[in-house]
Amino acid sequence: MVSELAGTLTKTKIDVDALRNEFFNPSSAPAAVKFGTSGHRGQLGAGFCALHARAIAQAVARIHKEQNITGPILVGGDTRLMSRETARLCAEVLAGNGLCVILPDMPLPTPVFSFEIISGRASACLNGTASHNPPQDMGLKYNPQNGGPADAALTSLIEKYANEYMAHPEEIKSVSLDEARARGLVRETDVVSPYVDALARFVNFKKIAASPLKFAVHPLGGSSLAFYKAIKEKYQLKNMDIVSEIQDPTFYFIPIDHDGKIRMDPSSKYPMSPLIKFVEDGTYDFAGASDPDADRFGCATKKGGLIPPNHALCVMADYLYRHHKVRDAYSIGRTLGTTALLDRIADGLGLKLDEVNVGFKYFVEGIIKRKYVIAGEESAGMSVSGWTPEKDGILAVCLLMEIMAVEGDIADLYNRLTEEYGKPYYTRVDVPTDDDTKKRIKSLKAADFENLHQVAGERVTRVRDTDGIKIYLQSSWFLVRPSGTENIVKIYAETFVSQSHLDKLIEAAKELLLK
Protein backbone atom coordinates (compact mmCIF):
# COMPACT_ATOMS: atom_id res chain seq x y z
CA MET A 1 0.00 0.00 0.00
CA VAL A 2 1.33 3.43 -0.93
CA SER A 3 1.60 5.91 1.92
CA GLU A 4 -0.62 9.00 1.75
CA LEU A 5 2.57 11.00 2.36
CA ALA A 6 4.27 9.68 -0.79
CA GLY A 7 5.54 12.50 -2.98
CA THR A 8 5.20 15.16 -0.27
CA LEU A 9 7.95 16.85 1.72
CA THR A 10 8.43 15.80 5.31
CA LYS A 11 7.07 17.94 8.10
CA THR A 12 9.24 16.18 10.67
CA LYS A 13 12.99 16.20 10.19
CA ILE A 14 15.16 13.60 11.84
CA ASP A 15 16.52 14.66 15.24
CA VAL A 16 20.15 15.28 14.34
CA ASP A 17 21.32 15.88 17.92
CA ALA A 18 19.60 12.77 19.25
CA LEU A 19 21.02 10.56 16.49
CA ARG A 20 24.47 12.05 16.94
CA ASN A 21 24.31 11.16 20.62
CA GLU A 22 23.08 7.66 19.75
CA PHE A 23 26.09 7.23 17.47
CA PHE A 24 28.56 7.93 20.24
CA ASN A 25 26.47 6.59 23.16
CA PRO A 26 23.94 3.97 22.00
CA SER A 27 20.96 3.58 24.33
CA SER A 28 20.99 -0.20 23.81
CA ALA A 29 23.63 -2.82 23.14
CA PRO A 30 25.16 -2.44 19.66
CA ALA A 31 24.22 -5.13 17.15
CA ALA A 32 26.87 -7.51 15.89
CA VAL A 33 28.75 -6.51 12.75
CA LYS A 34 27.05 -8.12 9.78
CA PHE A 35 28.02 -7.43 6.16
CA GLY A 36 25.21 -7.67 3.62
CA THR A 37 25.57 -7.28 -0.14
CA SER A 38 27.36 -3.98 0.44
CA GLY A 39 28.78 -3.52 3.93
CA HIS A 40 27.39 -3.25 7.45
CA ARG A 41 24.32 -1.01 7.76
CA GLY A 42 21.89 -0.04 10.46
CA GLN A 43 20.07 2.82 12.13
CA LEU A 44 22.30 5.20 14.01
CA GLY A 45 22.61 3.91 17.53
CA ALA A 46 22.51 0.19 18.20
CA GLY A 47 22.42 -0.51 14.45
CA PHE A 48 25.48 1.57 13.61
CA CYS A 49 27.60 3.45 16.12
CA ALA A 50 31.15 4.68 16.71
CA LEU A 51 32.17 1.28 18.05
CA HIS A 52 31.07 -0.41 14.82
CA ALA A 53 33.23 1.99 12.81
CA ARG A 54 36.26 1.54 15.05
CA ALA A 55 35.91 -2.25 15.23
CA ILE A 56 35.58 -2.62 11.45
CA ALA A 57 38.59 -0.35 10.90
CA GLN A 58 40.63 -2.41 13.36
CA ALA A 59 39.57 -5.59 11.59
CA VAL A 60 40.69 -4.13 8.25
CA ALA A 61 44.02 -3.05 9.75
CA ARG A 62 44.56 -6.58 11.04
CA ILE A 63 43.78 -8.10 7.65
CA HIS A 64 46.13 -5.71 5.86
CA LYS A 65 48.94 -6.65 8.22
CA GLU A 66 48.25 -10.39 8.06
CA GLN A 67 48.09 -10.35 4.26
CA ASN A 68 50.97 -7.89 3.88
CA ILE A 69 48.84 -5.43 1.93
CA THR A 70 50.79 -2.21 1.47
CA GLY A 71 49.74 1.19 0.23
CA PRO A 72 47.42 3.84 1.66
CA ILE A 73 43.78 3.18 2.47
CA LEU A 74 41.30 5.75 1.14
CA VAL A 75 38.80 6.70 3.85
CA GLY A 76 35.71 8.86 3.53
CA GLY A 77 31.96 8.84 3.10
CA ASP A 78 28.97 10.55 1.54
CA THR A 79 26.82 13.40 2.87
CA ARG A 80 24.94 11.44 5.52
CA LEU A 81 24.77 12.32 9.18
CA MET A 82 27.89 10.90 10.89
CA SER A 83 29.68 10.07 7.62
CA ARG A 84 32.45 12.54 8.38
CA GLU A 85 32.76 11.31 11.97
CA THR A 86 32.81 7.70 10.80
CA ALA A 87 35.64 8.50 8.38
CA ARG A 88 37.59 10.30 11.12
CA LEU A 89 37.26 7.37 13.53
CA CYS A 90 38.37 4.90 10.87
CA ALA A 91 41.35 7.05 9.95
CA GLU A 92 42.42 7.32 13.59
CA VAL A 93 42.25 3.54 14.04
CA LEU A 94 44.11 2.75 10.82
CA ALA A 95 46.80 5.30 11.70
CA GLY A 96 46.95 3.87 15.22
CA ASN A 97 47.96 0.61 13.57
CA GLY A 98 50.68 2.37 11.58
CA LEU A 99 48.83 2.32 8.26
CA CYS A 100 48.81 5.25 5.84
CA VAL A 101 45.48 6.90 5.15
CA ILE A 102 44.15 9.21 2.44
CA LEU A 103 41.38 11.33 3.99
CA PRO A 104 39.93 13.89 1.54
CA ASP A 105 38.11 16.81 3.14
CA MET A 106 34.93 16.33 1.09
CA PRO A 107 32.16 13.79 0.51
CA LEU A 108 33.14 10.99 -1.86
CA PRO A 109 31.02 8.92 -4.27
CA THR A 110 31.34 5.14 -4.12
CA PRO A 111 32.63 4.88 -7.74
CA VAL A 112 35.40 7.37 -6.93
CA PHE A 113 36.65 5.16 -4.10
CA SER A 114 36.82 2.30 -6.59
CA PHE A 115 38.44 4.46 -9.27
CA GLU A 116 41.23 5.54 -6.89
CA ILE A 117 41.98 1.90 -6.06
CA ILE A 118 42.13 0.62 -9.64
CA SER A 119 44.22 3.67 -10.58
CA GLY A 120 46.84 2.55 -8.05
CA ARG A 121 46.62 5.53 -5.72
CA ALA A 122 44.97 3.54 -2.91
CA SER A 123 45.27 -0.09 -1.86
CA ALA A 124 41.72 -0.33 -0.49
CA CYS A 125 39.00 1.85 1.00
CA LEU A 126 36.59 2.28 3.87
CA ASN A 127 33.48 4.11 2.71
CA GLY A 128 30.88 5.48 5.14
CA THR A 129 27.48 5.26 3.44
CA ALA A 130 24.07 3.65 3.61
CA SER A 131 23.40 4.30 -0.09
CA HIS A 132 19.83 5.53 -0.67
CA ASN A 133 18.46 4.31 2.68
CA PRO A 134 16.55 6.70 4.99
CA PRO A 135 18.63 9.51 6.57
CA GLN A 136 18.73 7.99 10.05
CA ASP A 137 20.66 5.01 8.67
CA MET A 138 24.41 4.72 8.36
CA GLY A 139 26.86 2.09 7.16
CA LEU A 140 30.43 1.22 6.33
CA LYS A 141 31.73 -0.79 3.40
CA TYR A 142 35.17 -2.06 2.44
CA ASN A 143 36.62 -2.40 -1.04
CA PRO A 144 39.84 -4.42 -1.41
CA GLN A 145 42.67 -4.15 -3.93
CA ASN A 146 40.49 -5.06 -6.94
CA GLY A 147 38.35 -1.97 -6.32
CA GLY A 148 35.06 -3.85 -6.19
CA PRO A 149 32.81 -4.79 -3.29
CA ALA A 150 34.46 -7.30 -0.97
CA ASP A 151 33.52 -10.93 -1.63
CA ALA A 152 31.86 -13.26 0.87
CA ALA A 153 35.09 -14.80 2.15
CA LEU A 154 36.57 -11.39 2.91
CA THR A 155 33.45 -9.93 4.50
CA SER A 156 33.13 -13.02 6.68
CA LEU A 157 36.67 -12.45 7.94
CA ILE A 158 35.97 -8.76 8.57
CA GLU A 159 32.83 -9.73 10.49
CA LYS A 160 34.73 -12.28 12.58
CA TYR A 161 37.52 -9.90 13.54
CA ALA A 162 35.25 -6.88 14.00
CA ASN A 163 32.95 -8.75 16.36
CA GLU A 164 35.96 -9.80 18.42
CA TYR A 165 36.84 -6.13 18.78
CA MET A 166 33.23 -5.23 19.54
CA ALA A 167 33.51 -7.56 22.52
CA HIS A 168 36.97 -6.26 23.47
CA PRO A 169 37.16 -2.60 22.43
CA GLU A 170 40.22 -2.08 24.58
CA GLU A 171 42.18 -3.96 21.90
CA ILE A 172 41.41 -1.32 19.26
CA LYS A 173 44.43 0.88 18.57
CA SER A 174 43.94 4.56 17.80
CA VAL A 175 45.72 7.90 17.64
CA SER A 176 44.25 11.36 17.24
CA LEU A 177 43.91 12.79 13.76
CA ASP A 178 46.30 15.61 14.63
CA GLU A 179 48.96 13.14 15.75
CA ALA A 180 48.39 10.96 12.68
CA ARG A 181 48.87 13.96 10.41
CA ALA A 182 51.97 15.05 12.30
CA ARG A 183 53.44 11.57 11.80
CA GLY A 184 52.65 11.68 8.07
CA LEU A 185 50.15 8.83 8.29
CA VAL A 186 47.11 10.85 7.13
CA ARG A 187 47.03 13.10 4.08
CA GLU A 188 44.62 14.62 1.59
CA THR A 189 44.68 14.42 -2.20
CA ASP A 190 42.77 15.58 -5.27
CA VAL A 191 40.18 12.92 -6.04
CA VAL A 192 38.02 15.04 -8.34
CA SER A 193 40.25 15.82 -11.33
CA PRO A 194 41.51 12.28 -12.09
CA TYR A 195 37.99 10.84 -12.11
CA VAL A 196 36.43 13.67 -14.13
CA ASP A 197 39.27 13.56 -16.66
CA ALA A 198 38.96 9.79 -17.09
CA LEU A 199 35.19 9.90 -17.67
CA ALA A 200 35.91 11.21 -21.17
CA ARG A 201 37.14 7.72 -22.08
CA PHE A 202 33.53 6.55 -22.11
CA VAL A 203 31.47 9.73 -22.49
CA ASN A 204 31.65 12.11 -25.46
CA PHE A 205 31.12 15.38 -23.65
CA LYS A 206 31.60 17.36 -26.88
CA LYS A 207 28.43 15.76 -28.24
CA ILE A 208 26.54 16.74 -25.10
CA ALA A 209 27.86 20.31 -25.17
CA ALA A 210 26.89 20.72 -28.84
CA SER A 211 23.35 19.44 -28.37
CA PRO A 212 20.38 21.83 -28.47
CA LEU A 213 18.76 19.76 -25.70
CA LYS A 214 18.58 21.00 -22.12
CA PHE A 215 19.81 18.69 -19.38
CA ALA A 216 19.11 18.77 -15.64
CA VAL A 217 21.15 16.92 -13.01
CA HIS A 218 20.18 16.43 -9.36
CA PRO A 219 22.70 14.96 -6.88
CA LEU A 220 19.83 14.21 -4.44
CA GLY A 221 21.82 15.93 -1.72
CA GLY A 222 24.70 13.55 -2.20
CA SER A 223 28.43 13.30 -2.76
CA SER A 224 28.21 13.66 -6.55
CA LEU A 225 27.63 17.44 -6.36
CA ALA A 226 31.30 18.49 -6.57
CA PHE A 227 31.85 16.02 -9.40
CA TYR A 228 28.91 17.22 -11.50
CA LYS A 229 30.10 20.78 -10.97
CA ALA A 230 33.58 19.81 -12.14
CA ILE A 231 32.14 17.98 -15.17
CA LYS A 232 30.05 21.01 -16.11
CA GLU A 233 33.05 23.34 -15.85
CA LYS A 234 35.68 21.15 -17.51
CA TYR A 235 33.55 20.12 -20.48
CA GLN A 236 31.74 23.48 -20.78
CA LEU A 237 28.27 21.99 -20.53
CA LYS A 238 26.30 25.22 -20.65
CA ASN A 239 23.16 23.24 -21.48
CA MET A 240 23.43 21.20 -18.26
CA ASP A 241 22.03 22.66 -15.05
CA ILE A 242 22.64 21.30 -11.57
CA VAL A 243 19.14 21.95 -10.27
CA SER A 244 19.89 21.50 -6.56
CA GLU A 245 23.04 22.06 -4.53
CA ILE A 246 21.44 21.42 -1.14
CA GLN A 247 23.43 19.10 1.10
CA ASP A 248 21.64 18.51 4.40
CA PRO A 249 21.84 15.20 6.30
CA THR A 250 18.11 15.34 7.13
CA PHE A 251 17.35 15.14 3.37
CA TYR A 252 14.16 17.09 4.12
CA PHE A 253 14.05 18.35 0.51
CA ILE A 254 13.61 14.86 -1.02
CA PRO A 255 9.92 13.90 -1.47
CA ILE A 256 8.81 10.99 0.70
CA ASP A 257 8.90 7.54 -0.94
CA HIS A 258 6.07 5.03 -1.39
CA ASP A 259 6.32 3.63 2.14
CA GLY A 260 6.25 6.95 3.99
CA LYS A 261 10.02 7.11 4.46
CA ILE A 262 12.56 9.53 3.02
CA ARG A 263 14.58 7.41 0.66
CA MET A 264 16.93 9.02 -1.84
CA ASP A 265 16.18 6.50 -4.55
CA PRO A 266 16.71 7.84 -8.11
CA SER A 267 14.63 5.02 -9.61
CA SER A 268 11.47 5.75 -7.58
CA LYS A 269 8.84 8.12 -8.97
CA TYR A 270 8.24 9.79 -5.61
CA PRO A 271 11.75 11.07 -4.77
CA MET A 272 12.16 11.82 -8.49
CA SER A 273 8.86 13.73 -8.80
CA PRO A 274 10.48 17.22 -9.07
CA LEU A 275 12.65 15.98 -11.95
CA ILE A 276 9.72 14.27 -13.63
CA LYS A 277 7.87 17.59 -13.49
CA PHE A 278 10.83 19.34 -15.15
CA VAL A 279 10.58 17.13 -18.24
CA GLU A 280 6.79 17.00 -18.29
CA ASP A 281 6.48 20.80 -18.36
CA GLY A 282 9.22 21.10 -20.99
CA THR A 283 11.77 22.91 -18.84
CA TYR A 284 14.30 20.18 -19.65
CA ASP A 285 14.53 17.38 -22.19
CA PHE A 286 16.38 15.09 -19.77
CA ALA A 287 16.73 15.00 -16.00
CA GLY A 288 19.23 12.67 -14.33
CA ALA A 289 20.03 11.89 -10.72
CA SER A 290 22.32 9.76 -8.60
CA ASP A 291 21.77 8.69 -4.99
CA PRO A 292 23.83 10.03 -2.03
CA ASP A 293 26.86 7.81 -2.65
CA ALA A 294 26.32 8.01 -6.43
CA ASP A 295 26.34 4.29 -7.13
CA ARG A 296 22.77 4.33 -8.53
CA PHE A 297 21.24 6.34 -11.33
CA GLY A 298 17.83 7.55 -12.39
CA CYS A 299 16.51 9.59 -15.30
CA ALA A 300 13.39 11.10 -16.77
CA THR A 301 12.83 12.33 -20.32
CA LYS A 302 10.32 14.56 -22.08
CA LYS A 303 8.74 11.66 -23.99
CA GLY A 304 9.08 8.87 -21.45
CA GLY A 305 8.73 10.44 -18.03
CA LEU A 306 10.60 8.38 -15.43
CA ILE A 307 12.62 5.72 -17.26
CA PRO A 308 12.73 2.35 -15.46
CA PRO A 309 16.33 1.18 -14.81
CA ASN A 310 15.74 -1.94 -16.90
CA HIS A 311 14.84 0.23 -19.90
CA ALA A 312 17.87 2.46 -19.45
CA LEU A 313 20.20 -0.54 -19.12
CA CYS A 314 18.92 -1.97 -22.42
CA VAL A 315 19.42 1.33 -24.25
CA MET A 316 22.90 1.77 -22.77
CA ALA A 317 23.94 -1.79 -23.64
CA ASP A 318 22.87 -1.40 -27.26
CA TYR A 319 24.49 2.04 -27.58
CA LEU A 320 27.77 1.06 -25.92
CA TYR A 321 28.20 -1.88 -28.28
CA ARG A 322 27.23 -0.10 -31.49
CA HIS A 323 29.50 2.86 -30.71
CA HIS A 324 32.44 0.61 -29.74
CA LYS A 325 32.74 2.21 -26.32
CA VAL A 326 34.08 -0.87 -24.56
CA ARG A 327 36.93 -2.47 -26.45
CA ASP A 328 37.34 -6.25 -26.54
CA ALA A 329 34.31 -6.93 -24.31
CA TYR A 330 32.20 -9.88 -25.41
CA SER A 331 29.37 -10.20 -22.91
CA ILE A 332 26.48 -8.40 -21.24
CA GLY A 333 26.18 -9.05 -17.52
CA ARG A 334 22.97 -8.86 -15.53
CA THR A 335 21.74 -9.98 -12.13
CA LEU A 336 19.01 -12.60 -11.64
CA GLY A 337 16.24 -10.03 -11.23
CA THR A 338 17.15 -7.89 -14.23
CA THR A 339 15.26 -7.87 -17.52
CA ALA A 340 15.71 -10.74 -19.96
CA LEU A 341 15.44 -8.25 -22.81
CA LEU A 342 19.18 -7.90 -22.27
CA ASP A 343 19.51 -11.59 -23.18
CA ARG A 344 17.78 -10.96 -26.49
CA ILE A 345 19.85 -7.86 -27.19
CA ALA A 346 23.03 -9.80 -26.41
CA ASP A 347 21.99 -12.55 -28.81
CA GLY A 348 21.11 -10.02 -31.50
CA LEU A 349 24.51 -8.35 -31.17
CA GLY A 350 26.41 -11.64 -31.10
CA LEU A 351 27.40 -11.24 -27.46
CA LYS A 352 27.30 -13.70 -24.60
CA LEU A 353 24.97 -13.20 -21.62
CA ASP A 354 26.20 -13.64 -18.07
CA GLU A 355 23.52 -14.01 -15.38
CA VAL A 356 24.82 -13.63 -11.80
CA ASN A 357 23.38 -13.61 -8.29
CA VAL A 358 22.08 -10.34 -6.86
CA GLY A 359 24.99 -8.13 -5.81
CA PHE A 360 27.51 -6.16 -7.85
CA LYS A 361 30.38 -8.13 -6.29
CA TYR A 362 29.56 -10.94 -8.72
CA PHE A 363 30.57 -8.71 -11.65
CA VAL A 364 33.97 -7.69 -10.28
CA GLU A 365 36.09 -10.39 -11.90
CA GLY A 366 34.37 -9.99 -15.26
CA ILE A 367 34.78 -6.21 -15.26
CA ILE A 368 38.46 -6.51 -14.40
CA LYS A 369 38.99 -9.10 -17.13
CA ARG A 370 37.26 -6.78 -19.63
CA LYS A 371 34.40 -9.17 -20.21
CA TYR A 372 31.42 -6.80 -20.07
CA VAL A 373 30.08 -4.27 -22.54
CA ILE A 374 27.85 -3.42 -19.60
CA ALA A 375 27.14 -5.02 -16.24
CA GLY A 376 23.83 -3.96 -14.74
CA GLU A 377 21.18 -4.66 -12.18
CA GLU A 378 17.50 -3.76 -12.06
CA SER A 379 18.06 -1.66 -8.94
CA ALA A 380 19.77 1.00 -11.09
CA GLY A 381 23.41 0.00 -10.87
CA MET A 382 25.80 -0.29 -13.80
CA SER A 383 29.42 -0.17 -14.89
CA VAL A 384 31.52 -1.29 -17.87
CA SER A 385 34.77 -3.13 -18.35
CA GLY A 386 37.75 -0.81 -18.32
CA TRP A 387 36.06 1.31 -15.67
CA THR A 388 35.30 0.77 -11.99
CA PRO A 389 34.16 -2.64 -10.67
CA GLU A 390 31.63 -0.70 -8.59
CA LYS A 391 28.29 0.71 -9.68
CA ASP A 392 28.67 4.23 -11.08
CA GLY A 393 25.63 6.50 -11.17
CA ILE A 394 27.64 9.46 -12.45
CA LEU A 395 28.90 7.52 -15.46
CA ALA A 396 25.35 6.32 -16.14
CA VAL A 397 23.83 9.81 -16.03
CA CYS A 398 26.53 11.25 -18.29
CA LEU A 399 26.26 8.36 -20.75
CA LEU A 400 22.49 8.75 -20.91
CA MET A 401 22.94 12.46 -21.67
CA GLU A 402 25.25 11.54 -24.54
CA ILE A 403 22.73 9.02 -25.88
CA MET A 404 20.01 11.68 -25.79
CA ALA A 405 22.30 14.14 -27.58
CA VAL A 406 23.34 11.67 -30.29
CA GLU A 407 20.34 9.41 -30.92
CA GLY A 408 17.23 10.85 -29.28
CA ASP A 409 14.88 10.27 -26.37
CA ILE A 410 15.65 7.21 -24.23
CA ALA A 411 11.99 6.19 -24.34
CA ASP A 412 11.96 6.15 -28.16
CA LEU A 413 15.20 4.16 -28.27
CA TYR A 414 13.81 1.60 -25.84
CA ASN A 415 10.63 1.24 -27.90
CA ARG A 416 12.74 0.57 -31.00
CA LEU A 417 14.50 -2.23 -29.13
CA THR A 418 11.18 -3.79 -28.10
CA GLU A 419 9.97 -3.63 -31.68
CA GLU A 420 13.01 -5.64 -32.69
CA TYR A 421 13.32 -8.03 -29.76
CA GLY A 422 9.87 -8.16 -28.15
CA LYS A 423 8.16 -6.15 -25.42
CA PRO A 424 8.65 -7.37 -21.86
CA TYR A 425 6.22 -6.79 -18.98
CA TYR A 426 8.12 -6.59 -15.72
CA THR A 427 7.41 -6.03 -12.04
CA ARG A 428 8.73 -6.56 -8.54
CA VAL A 429 6.38 -7.18 -5.62
CA ASP A 430 7.37 -7.17 -1.94
CA VAL A 431 5.26 -9.55 0.15
CA PRO A 432 5.27 -9.31 3.98
CA THR A 433 6.22 -12.62 5.57
CA ASP A 434 7.81 -14.21 8.64
CA ASP A 435 11.18 -15.73 9.49
CA ASP A 436 9.94 -19.30 9.05
CA THR A 437 8.82 -18.62 5.48
CA LYS A 438 12.11 -16.91 4.67
CA LYS A 439 14.09 -19.85 6.05
CA ARG A 440 11.96 -22.32 4.11
CA ILE A 441 12.51 -20.49 0.83
CA LYS A 442 16.23 -20.23 1.50
CA SER A 443 16.40 -23.99 2.01
CA LEU A 444 14.70 -24.86 -1.29
CA LYS A 445 16.73 -26.46 -4.08
CA ALA A 446 16.12 -26.85 -7.79
CA ALA A 447 15.58 -30.59 -7.23
CA ASP A 448 12.50 -29.77 -5.16
CA PHE A 449 10.81 -28.66 -8.39
CA GLU A 450 11.65 -31.62 -10.61
CA ASN A 451 7.94 -32.46 -10.91
CA LEU A 452 6.98 -28.88 -11.81
CA HIS A 453 6.37 -28.91 -15.55
CA GLN A 454 4.09 -25.96 -16.21
CA VAL A 455 3.35 -22.55 -14.66
CA ALA A 456 0.86 -19.92 -15.89
CA GLY A 457 0.30 -21.87 -19.09
CA GLU A 458 3.99 -22.14 -20.01
CA ARG A 459 6.42 -25.00 -19.89
CA VAL A 460 9.13 -24.89 -17.21
CA THR A 461 12.52 -24.93 -18.90
CA ARG A 462 14.85 -24.56 -15.92
CA VAL A 463 15.01 -23.88 -12.17
CA ARG A 464 17.91 -22.06 -10.48
CA ASP A 465 18.53 -22.07 -6.73
CA THR A 466 21.73 -20.04 -6.30
CA ASP A 467 19.98 -16.96 -4.88
CA GLY A 468 16.39 -17.66 -3.98
CA ILE A 469 14.37 -19.68 -6.47
CA LYS A 470 14.16 -18.60 -10.10
CA ILE A 471 11.85 -20.50 -12.44
CA TYR A 472 12.41 -20.06 -16.18
CA LEU A 473 9.51 -20.56 -18.58
CA GLN A 474 9.23 -20.47 -22.37
CA SER A 475 8.86 -16.70 -22.63
CA SER A 476 8.84 -15.60 -19.02
CA TRP A 477 10.38 -16.10 -15.59
CA PHE A 478 9.91 -15.31 -11.93
CA LEU A 479 12.31 -15.09 -9.01
CA VAL A 480 11.48 -15.33 -5.30
CA ARG A 481 14.12 -14.06 -2.86
CA PRO A 482 13.82 -13.48 0.89
CA SER A 483 15.10 -10.09 2.04
CA GLY A 484 18.23 -10.20 4.16
CA THR A 485 17.18 -7.23 6.30
CA GLU A 486 13.37 -7.16 6.41
CA ASN A 487 10.52 -9.63 6.90
CA ILE A 488 9.54 -9.53 3.25
CA VAL A 489 9.91 -11.80 0.26
CA LYS A 490 10.73 -10.14 -3.05
CA ILE A 491 9.02 -11.50 -6.15
CA TYR A 492 10.47 -10.46 -9.50
CA ALA A 493 8.64 -11.47 -12.66
CA GLU A 494 8.82 -10.79 -16.38
CA THR A 495 7.00 -12.03 -19.45
CA PHE A 496 7.06 -11.25 -23.15
CA VAL A 497 3.39 -12.30 -23.44
CA SER A 498 1.10 -9.69 -21.84
CA GLN A 499 0.30 -7.71 -18.72
CA SER A 500 -2.36 -10.23 -17.73
CA HIS A 501 0.20 -13.01 -18.04
CA LEU A 502 2.49 -11.06 -15.72
CA ASP A 503 -0.30 -10.91 -13.15
CA LYS A 504 -0.72 -14.68 -13.45
CA LEU A 505 3.00 -15.17 -12.87
CA ILE A 506 2.89 -13.20 -9.62
CA GLU A 507 -0.09 -15.17 -8.35
CA ALA A 508 1.57 -18.44 -9.38
CA ALA A 509 4.75 -17.47 -7.53
CA LYS A 510 2.78 -16.70 -4.36
CA GLU A 511 0.81 -19.93 -4.63
CA LEU A 512 3.87 -22.03 -5.30
CA LEU A 513 6.35 -20.63 -2.80
CA LEU A 514 4.56 -18.60 -0.14
CA LYS A 515 1.78 -20.96 0.94
Side-chain angles (χ1 to χ4, degrees):
M1 181 178 291
V2 176
S3 168
E4 61 182 13
L5 298 175
T8 68
L9 295 179
T10 185
K11 295 179 180 179
T12 308
K13 294 183 182 182
I14 60 170
D15 189 331
V16 171
D17 292 335
L19 288 169
R20 186 181 298 275
N21 186 61
E22 276 290 306
F23 176 75
F24 288 107
N25 303 289
S27 55
S28 57
V33 172
K34 178 66 177 176
F35 272 60
T37 55
S38 196
H40 172 84
R41 292 180 185 172
Q43 186 168 318
L44 287 166
F48 188 92
C49 65
L51 181 56
H52 287 113
R54 298 178 73 244
I56 292 170
Q58 183 64 49
V60 167
R62 179 173 167 184
I63 290 169
H64 275 233
K65 288 187 174 182
E66 288 177 349
Q67 299 182 5
N68 196 29
I69 300 171
T70 59
I73 300 174
L74 178 60
V75 176
D78 59 20
T79 54
R80 286 180 169 275
L81 182 64
M82 309 316 296
S83 284
R84 183 180 289 269
E85 289 82 354
T86 294
R88 174 180 61 80
L89 291 170
C90 290
E92 290 176 343
V93 169
L94 295 172
N97 284 269
L99 300 178
C100 293
V101 176
I102 301 172
L103 184 67
D105 187 26
M106 63 179 298
L108 291 185
T110 287
V112 174
F113 282 97
S114 180
F115 180 80
E116 287 295 300
I117 295 171
I118 63 172
S119 298
R121 289 181 287 273
S123 65
C125 75
L126 277 169
N127 174 9
T129 179
S131 190
H132 64 293
N133 283 19
Q136 58 266 40
D137 289 0
M138 184 55 195
L140 189 60
K141 58 187 290 187
Y142 173 76
N143 290 56
Q145 290 168 294
N146 61 22
D151 62 22
L154 184 50
T155 56
S156 294
L157 187 58
I158 294 173
E159 283 179 14
K160 178 178 181 295
Y161 287 174
N163 284 319
E164 290 176 8
Y165 295 120
M166 292 284 289
H168 299 282
E170 70 277 2
E171 296 180 10
I172 299 174
K173 301 175 183 178
S174 182
V175 297
S176 71
L177 209 52
D178 287 341
E179 181 181 344
R181 286 186 171 124
R183 290 168 54 186
L185 292 173
V186 173
R187 62 180 174 84
E188 295 182 18
T189 191
D190 174 18
V191 292
V192 178
S193 299
Y195 173 87
V196 170
D197 290 349
L199 267 179
R201 300 207 311 259
F202 292 97
V203 180
N204 190 330
F205 289 104
K206 290 182 179 179
K207 294 287 189 182
I208 299 173
S211 172
L213 301 179
K214 293 184 66 178
F215 303 95
V217 172
H218 198 317
L220 297 184
S223 56
S224 60
L225 175 60
F227 293 81
Y228 283 126
K229 290 173 79 171
I231 289 167
K232 178 178 174 66
E233 179 179 356
K234 178 178 178 61
Y235 299 110
Q236 300 180 39
L237 302 183
K238 296 178 181 179
N239 53 348
M240 184 189 93
D241 292 335
I242 300 169
V243 294
S244 174
E245 296 190 14
I246 301 174
Q247 288 182 323
D248 185 308
T250 68
F251 292 94
Y252 70 91
F253 52 94
I254 302 296
I256 293 170
D257 206 358
H258 65 94
D259 57 359
K261 298 179 181 180
I262 298 176
R263 186 178 286 102
M264 298 71 74
D265 183 354
S267 63
S268 171
K269 68 179 180 180
Y270 300 106
M272 287 287 284
S273 55
L275 292 179
I276 297 171
K277 185 176 184 299
F278 278 145
V279 296
E280 286 180 342
D281 66 16
T283 305
Y284 294 96
D285 300 282
F286 171 95
S290 41
D291 66 337
D293 72 318
D295 69 344
R296 298 183 185 221
F297 70 90
C299 72
T301 70
K302 184 178 290 187
K303 291 187 177 181
L306 184 66
I307 304 295
N310 274 328
H311 296 198
L313 288 172
C314 290
V315 171
M316 286 190 281
D318 177 67
Y319 183 86
L320 285 164
Y321 179 79
R322 288 188 294 101
H323 289 261
H324 310 291
K325 293 275 191 176
V326 188
R327 303 292 181 182
D328 303 321
Y330 56 88
S331 181
I332 289 175
R334 64 163 178 80
T335 51
L336 281 172
T338 304
T339 179
L341 181 57
L342 286 169
D343 304 43
R344 298 187 177 197
I345 292 171
D347 186 60
L349 298 177
L351 298 169
K352 294 184 177 180
L353 190 286
D354 194 11
E355 182 182 54
V356 304
N357 289 350
V358 176
F360 218 74
K361 60 188 175 184
Y362 297 106
F363 290 128
V364 172
E365 184 179 358
I367 289 175
I368 292 171
K369 292 184 176 179
R370 297 184 176 269
K371 180 179 183 179
Y372 297 125
V373 171
I374 191 171
E377 55 186 13
E378 53 78 32
S379 55
M382 64 80 71
S383 190
V384 299
S385 287
W387 193 241
T388 72
E390 266 282 11
K391 297 175 287 189
D392 192 339
I394 301 173
L395 168 65
V397 169
C398 292
L399 178 61
L400 288 165
M401 287 196 292
E402 177 191 333
I403 294 172
M404 286 280 295
V406 174
E407 294 196 342
D409 197 286
I410 305 300
D412 285 340
L413 298 175
Y414 177 75
N415 289 337
R416 288 179 204 168
L417 290 173
T418 63
E419 288 173 5
E420 182 174 358
Y421 297 110
K423 179 181 178 180
Y425 299 84
Y426 179 99
T427 192
R428 176 185 135 180
V429 177
D430 293 346
V431 181
T433 189
D434 53 38
D435 286 334
D436 289 341
T437 301
K438 289 169 65 176
K439 289 177 182 177
R440 180 178 60 79
I441 293 173
K442 283 183 180 179
S443 69
L444 290 172
K445 299 297 180 185
D448 296 324
F449 300 89
E450 60 183 8
N451 294 321
L452 182 68
H453 303 297
Q454 191 176 77
V455 176
E458 287 201 307
R459 178 170 50 85
V460 175
T461 60
R462 182 186 167 204
V463 178
R464 176 167 171 165
D465 60 12
T466 59
D467 188 0
I469 292 292
K470 183 169 183 179
I471 295 180
Y472 302 78
L473 306 167
Q474 291 164 281
S475 56
S476 58
W477 59 267
F478 63 87
L479 166 69
V480 179
R481 295 180 65 247
S483 169
T485 56
E486 303 173 83
N487 270 343
I488 61 172
V489 169
K490 302 174 183 179
I491 303 176
Y492 306 77
E494 183 178 50
T495 176
F496 286 81
V497 178
S498 65
Q499 179 62 47
S500 62
H501 190 246
L502 180 65
D503 297 337
K504 291 178 182 177
L505 285 175
I506 293 295
E507 292 308 310
K510 291 178 180 178
E511 183 71 28
L512 186 63
L513 293 169
L514 300 186
K515 292 185 179 180

